[in-house]
Amino acid sequence: MLIALTCVLVPVSLLTVWVHDIVLDTGRYVSTVSPLASDPAIEAAAVHRITAAADVRVDGAQVTSDLAKWLEAQGLPPRVGTAVKALGPQLDSAADAAVSKVATRFVGSDAFETVWTTANRAAHTAVVHALTGEGRGAVGVEGGTVTLDVGAAVESVKEDLVKAGLSPAEKIPEVDRQMVLFQSEKLAKIRGAVHLLDVVGNWMPVLTVVLGALGVLLARRRRRALVATALGAAGACLVFGIGLAVVRHYYLDHLPAQVQSPAAAAAVFDTLVRFLRVSVRTALVLGVVVALGAYLSGAGRLPRGVRGRAERAADSAAGWGAARGVRAGRAGAWVQAHRRPLTTGVLLVLALVFALWNHPTVLTVLLLVLVLLGVLAVLSLLAAGGRVPGREAPDARAGQPGPAGGGGER
């Protein structure tokens, strides 16, 4: 029961760490969402929203009509006035193109990244409130909708338009336009779950490890129990990872009408859950590595064969070195006598390093495995060197003549 509970709690622990360290931590949240300012989908969505918020309109029909009347008053044929009036839509299109061009240039500049990062940093408290209660500030919560105020970006575009010579931009009023970040009817339930996960915080992984250790210690066949626990945890992480993919697919297929850019919504989702995905993959690989290590340390035919080949290789290397005057000496004999506690100590140290590692990844696991293999290889060579003198002594005595009377023959 403890092992089964441990396997279930592993993905839950990863989720609590993600909520506690990423979603509800201002520094990590800002560093997570900052790259979105240069994401093409976010830039396109921001240009669209800023352009719509600026809402600069030149009355092309009125301008061309006045111009046509003036030309006719100067004696030009009516067909000239008709042709001039036909230019009204083109004037409207030109004004829209000018606004879009300035907005695109602004969104692609460092200024937009600054506005984006500053707005997210200032709004992080509101994001936390959005997930745990009421939303305030640049990020607002109303019902099941979470929005980001793009008013600061609109004001910057307004200034650029005026500088570019588009005088009607001066009439743009102060706007309070919202960019929908997330919408769900289940936001209230999500807030309750996030609050619970935040309270649990980083204690859940500790509890999970303790329960798993108790389950293994209480088992009759502990090595097999450790293998089962590691593989069960890896399997749970695999299921959780598949669940994340299903949730992403479902969310993007059911976006509300208020979300104008599915690509931007996908970019936001992928960015926010990136570290969670990394943690799931890391736990999966760690589970497989632990299970493989526990299996190879067992008494089965294959583990014994693998360890036997490794020992023979170490003995061969130690013998080759001894023949050339390279001996382990007392260090080798001491390692041979204390090999088991040394190996256990190395495992505990690496486990502690992994536990204290700040957001480990799959590369972290592989690096620690390489370090472990290297240390075990050194211990094996030293232990083999400690065995070499004991093996050479009988061979030397065998080459000496026996005592008188043929005692050496008996």
Side-chain angles (χ1 to χ4, degrees):
M1 291 178 62
L2 289 173
I3 290 175
L5 183 59
T6 298
C7 296
V8 173
L9 289 181
V10 166
V12 176
S13 300
L14 298 178
L15 189 60
T16 59
V17 172
W18 175 72
V19 171
H20 190 270
D21 289 355
I22 301 297
V23 179
L24 302 181
D25 184 270
T26 301
R28 293 190 181 279
Y29 170 79
V30 172
S31 64
T32 300
V33 301
S34 291
L36 285 173
S38 57
D39 186 273
I42 296 295
E43 290 182 345
V47 168
H48 174 75
R49 294 297 297 138
I50 293 172
T51 302
D55 197 20
V56 176
R57 292 289 184 270
V58 176
D59 193 347
Q62 184 62 44
V63 172
T64 54
S65 177
D66 294 341
L67 180 59
K69 290 179 181 180
W70 182 82
L71 292 174
E72 291 175 0
Q74 301 302 316
L76 293 178
R79 64 176 178 273
V80 176
T82 303
V84 171
K85 291 180 180 179
L87 296 176
Q90 282 75 11
L91 288 178
D92 289 335
S93 178
D96 292 341
V99 175
S100 179
K101 182 178 180 180
V102 173
T104 301
R105 185 170 62 248
F106 169 75
V107 169
S109 66
D110 294 338
F112 177 71
E113 294 185 6
T114 302
V115 169
W116 175 271
T117 302
T118 303
N120 275 280
R121 183 179 297 278
H124 184 263
T125 302
V127 173
V128 174
H129 285 300
L131 295 174
T132 59
E134 295 294 330
R136 294 292 186 270
V139 172
V141 181
E142 183 177 354
T145 304
V146 181
T147 58
L148 175 65
D149 188 2
V150 296
V154 174
E155 288 300 317
S156 298
V157 172
K158 175 182 175 180
E159 294 177 2
D160 290 344
L161 288 173
V162 174
K163 292 179 181 179
L166 195 61
S167 57
E170 295 179 352
K171 300 180 181 180
I172 298 176
E174 293 186 2
V175 295
D176 183 21
R177 294 302 179 114
Q178 306 296 325
M179 183 176 179
V180 177
L181 298 178
F182 178 81
Q183 185 177 55
S184 174
E185 296 178 355
K186 299 180 180 179
L187 185 58
K189 295 181 179 180
I190 294 175
R191 288 200 296 259
V194 169
H195 178 69
L196 177 61
L197 293 177
D198 182 39
V199 171
V200 174
N202 290 328
W203 289 106
M204 182 61 75
V206 177
L207 176 62
T208 302
V209 172
V210 170
L211 291 178
L214 288 176
V216 172
L217 291 176
L218 293 176
R220 291 184 177 181
R221 306 181 67 175
R222 294 175 179 174
R223 183 174 287 107
R224 176 173 293 186
L226 179 58
V227 173
T229 303
L231 291 181
C237 290
L238 179 61
V239 172
F240 185 73
I242 296 174
L244 274 179
V246 172
V247 168
R248 180 185 186 276
H249 183 75
Y250 178 85
Y251 171 67
L252 295 179
D253 283 348
H254 294 79
L255 289 174
Q258 289 85 346
V259 180
Q260 293 90 352
S261 175
V268 172
F269 183 93
D270 292 338
T271 299
L272 289 178
V273 302
R274 180 181 60 192
F275 290 108
L276 181 58
R277 287 172 171 169
V278 170
S279 299
V280 170
R281 289 194 292 265
T282 302
L284 195 156
V285 173
L286 179 64
V288 173
V289 168
V290 171
L292 183 61
Y295 171 73
L296 291 178
S297 65
R301 180 178 300 178
L302 178 60
R304 289 202 308 270
V306 172
R307 295 198 304 271
R309 289 189 177 185
E311 290 297 320
R312 287 192 294 271
D315 289 340
S316 298
W320 181 87
R324 289 160 177 77
V326 180
R327 299 178 180 275
R330 294 182 178 179
W334 184 83
V335 170
Q336 171 65 12
H338 302 84
R339 187 173 179 182
R340 184 180 294 274
L342 286 174
T343 302
T344 303
V346 170
L347 290 174
L348 291 177
V349 169
L350 292 180
L352 181 62
V353 170
F354 179 82
L356 297 178
W357 198 289
N358 189 20
H359 294 285
T361 63
V362 174
L363 292 179
T364 305
V365 175
L366 297 180
L367 175 63
L368 294 180
V369 168
L370 290 177
V371 171
L372 174 62
L373 293 178
V375 173
L376 292 181
V378 172
L379 292 178
S380 180
L381 287 174
L382 290 174
R387 295 192 298 266
V388 168
R391 188 175 64 246
E392 289 181 343
D395 295 339
R397 288 194 300 269
Q400 297 176 357
E409 298 296 328
R410 289 196 298 268

